[in-house]
Amino acid sequence: MKTRTGRGKSDERVAFMRGGTQVTLYKSPNLIAVRLRDGAVLQNLPGRLTKDLHFPASLRFHCRYPGQRIGVFHCARVDRDDVMVKLRSRTDVVRYCSHLLQRTVDDDLPGAEIGIDDKLFVEFFEPPQREDVKEVEHLYGLRAIWHFPEKPAGVVFELTEAATENPIKISNKLMETGKYQTVEPCLIDTKVGKAIPNDAGFRRQWHLLNTGQAHGVPGADCNAVEAWDYTWGTPNITVALIDDGFDLEHPDFVRTDKIRAPYDATQHDTDPRPSGFSENHGTSCAGVALASRGGGAAIGVAPDCTFMPIRHAGRLGDYDEALAFYHAFRNGADVISCSWGPWDAYLNEFWPMPRLTQYVIDICVEMGRGGKGILIFFAAGNGNEPLALDGYANYENVVAIAACTNEDKKAWYSDYGVNVWVTAPSSGGTLDIFTTDRTGPEGYSWDSDYTDEFGGTSSATPLVAGIAALMLSVNPELTAAQIKQILKETAVRINKGKPEQYTDHWGSSYSDTYDDKGHSLVYGWGRVDAGAAVAASWSMRNP
């Protein structure tokens, strides 16, 4: 389960019993947990909670714990208690609101937070009579929800709307009476568990888990860890990358059965490896999407999915370009990622995709995957210019991906337009992207098999393609149209309410404002959220 640190220092101790031992934790100075009522939609949490209430400027949405239906907010310490009062007033949505706790006074490690559940456990000295249980319910606004016929002295209570204190305070007051063997509050350990990979460079991959590295904004990432709570991907789902060549001997791609149906659309053979020193781009793109778990220092967002490498070396003819897509179609690709297109910021005029390529792309989208459709992602471009100039990324049957930064802002170079679908974390802030590089002296980094200088919409695009592969891994029956819609509905609207003006490469002004439908020329429908998208895909499965 994904967590983010509040990076604060607390001097507020909280002591209570746990496992028969008194423990001491500390209130987070900045983080507040909100648990939703049944039926409330977690993805809509920030907007619904702040509607019609005057919150301080310091309040911002922090992260989600989907399995527990909990959202976390961050605010300034001086605003925290007032914010909690206002959040608790939203009884139509909020089941309860509480502090997050941390294990030490100054705990800035990801996953260090402890949530307070809305339940507590009471162990009576003797099996309680009904009036004993009713007494506890009445005094503290609780409701008994579970007892144990095998050992009837133990009862679990949960808070009701009549409760005026949190379970820790209630537990301590009950214990002080001396009438009970044990009283303990139930906690939620929010630490990241199985979904943290052991790849040595993972902590450098802020686009997967941003904890504020290099003064970035915690949470300004693709929310990969929540998605990994559902799946790391499955070999049954194949992502085709069409690019300039791929180092298939890289440690992150040599896993048995990792590679499927390799193809070189330039030479018309089955060897898509790079030719010469300049073909470095494809290996890095592939790592963003598909680098295997434990294979090396990096990890892709869909590490267990299968990789179909298709070499597209520079200026292909229209026929060869169409063959690249047709190969993906005929050989069972589920998703296609393309981090290329016309020259950026070159002529300030529209350059169309050839009809032959359009025709084959239409086949992929309309007939691929047995009629469910192959979703094709294209990089929006790095020219800080209108997407409308790009006949590839702007084509109606592909999905255009823009780029944002580790500071949750527009990447300065990213193209903009009405057909931008979503944005994804990439370079342009205080950090670039850490991913796979060609082995040996070739590549972006001559002394390493990895690079920390990748980026552009070239990196954002395979990231979203990999997320689509995770969605299909939990629900392979999704159509291309459904995947596209889920990405839209689960995207996070960054910089909402703080519109900024930009000037493009050609001197024209544009804004990142969201329109009445929720779309921004800069961010599309928002920053991609892998955790929410995979959760939504899971929920749509047929029984």
Side-chain angles (χ1 to χ4, degrees), residues 510-524:
Y510 63 99
S511 171
D512 62 2
T513 305
Y514 292 87
D515 63 23
D516 292 341
K517 296 181 179 179
H519 183 272
S520 163
L521 296 177
V522 170
Y523 304 118

Side-chain angles (χ1 to χ4, degrees), residues 274-290:
S275 177
F277 284 88
S278 63
E279 294 185 11
N280 307 318
H281 193 261
T283 301
S284 294
C285 286
V288 171
L290 296 163

Side-chain angles (χ1 to χ4, degrees), residues 54-355:
H54 299 290
F55 283 101
S58 68
L59 180 67
R60 61 179 172 81
F61 188 63
H62 189 63
C63 66
R64 303 181 179 96
Y65 303 138
Q68 300 290 343
R69 298 181 57 74
I70 289 175
V72 178
F73 285 86
H74 183 284
C75 67
R77 169 66 184 87
V78 295
D79 298 326
R80 185 191 64 187
D81 293 341
D82 179 58
V83 166
M84 292 181 67
V85 170
K86 290 182 176 180
L87 288 173
R88 285 167 177 160
S89 73
R90 291 303 309 270
T91 56
D92 58 323
V93 180
V94 175
R95 183 169 170 178
Y96 82 100
C97 173
S98 71
H99 300 279
L100 274 183
L101 306 177
Q102 54 193 45
R103 289 189 173 91
T104 67
V105 174
D106 188 6
D107 202 335
D108 64 354
L109 294 175
E113 304 101 4
I114 300 291
I116 306 172
D117 205 346
D118 61 347
K119 300 173 180 64
L120 55 96
F121 173 63
V122 178
E123 183 179 1
F124 293 79
F125 285 107
E126 300 290 341
Q129 301 298 313
R130 181 175 179 82
E131 56 268 22
D132 298 325
V133 174
K134 287 295 183 182
E135 179 184 12
V136 175
E137 291 179 327
H138 175 71
L139 286 175
Y140 297 103
L142 304 178
R143 175 174 53 244
I145 61 169
W146 190 17
H147 73 281
F148 304 85
E150 299 82 0
K151 295 185 69 174
V155 180
V156 177
F157 294 85
E158 72 174 1
L159 274 64
T160 69
E161 292 183 15
T164 59
E165 294 180 298
N166 69 46
I168 290 180
K169 291 182 178 178
I170 295 173
S171 296
N172 287 340
K173 287 184 176 181
L174 286 171
M175 278 299 292
E176 288 172 0
T177 67
K179 297 168 63 176
Y180 309 98
Q181 178 78 26
T182 303
V183 186
E184 291 187 3
C186 295
L187 304 180
I188 300 172
D189 192 344
T190 61
K191 69 177 182 295
V192 180
K194 68 178 180 62
I196 285 293
N198 60 5
D199 299 76
F202 172 69
R203 297 295 180 185
R204 301 169 67 179
Q205 295 185 281
W206 65 266
H207 60 288
L208 302 174
L209 179 61
N210 189 339
T211 60
Q213 302 96 314
H215 306 291
V217 175
D221 56 44
C222 76
N223 199 4
V225 177
E226 281 190 8
W228 292 337
D229 272 345
Y230 290 89
T231 182
W232 297 98
T234 170
N236 296 330
I237 300 300
T238 300
V239 180
L241 278 89
I242 302 175
D243 217 290
D244 68 359
F246 305 91
D247 184 351
L248 302 186
E249 282 70 47
H250 194 284
D252 275 302
F253 302 135
V254 295
R255 190 197 74 204
T256 302
D257 298 330
K258 179 72 173 180
I259 307 299
R260 177 177 182 179
Y263 181 63
D264 186 337
T266 307
Q267 302 293 334
H268 298 174
D269 60 31
T270 60
D271 185 2
R273 289 175 293 183
S275 177
F277 284 88
S278 63
E279 294 185 11
N280 307 318
H281 193 261
T283 301
S284 294
C285 286
V288 171
L290 296 163
S292 298
R293 284 187 289 158
I299 186 172
V301 70
D304 287 3
C305 287
T306 298
F307 174 23
M308 184 184 294
I310 303 175
R311 183 169 175 257
H312 174 316
R315 298 186 175 108
L316 279 180
D318 295 349
Y319 173 72
D320 297 324
E321 186 173 271
L323 280 180
F325 288 97
Y326 195 63
H327 176 86
F329 167 74
R330 290 296 301 269
N331 287 276
D334 297 287
V335 180
I336 299 175
S337 179
C338 303
S339 293
W340 47 273
W343 288 102
D344 291 307
Y346 186 54
L347 292 177
N348 196 20
E349 63 182 33
F350 176 69
W351 182 250
M353 178 189 289
R355 181 56 189 151

Side-chain angles (χ1 to χ4, degrees), residues 201-210 220-222 283-289 291 298-301 403-407 411 413 424-437 444-445 449-463:
F202 172 69
R203 297 295 180 185
R204 301 169 67 179
Q205 295 185 281
W206 65 266
H207 60 288
L208 302 174
L209 179 61
N210 189 339
D221 56 44
C222 76
T283 301
S284 294
C285 286
V288 171
I299 186 172
V301 70
C404 55
T405 71
N406 68 323
E407 298 169 304
Y413 50 79
S426 190
S427 60
T430 64
L431 289 173
D432 294 340
I433 299 301
F434 180 78
T435 184
T436 51
D437 195 11
Y444 297 113
S445 177
D449 297 342
Y450 299 87
T451 177
D452 58 5
E453 298 180 349
F454 196 58
T457 55
S458 288
S459 182
T461 303
L463 184 62

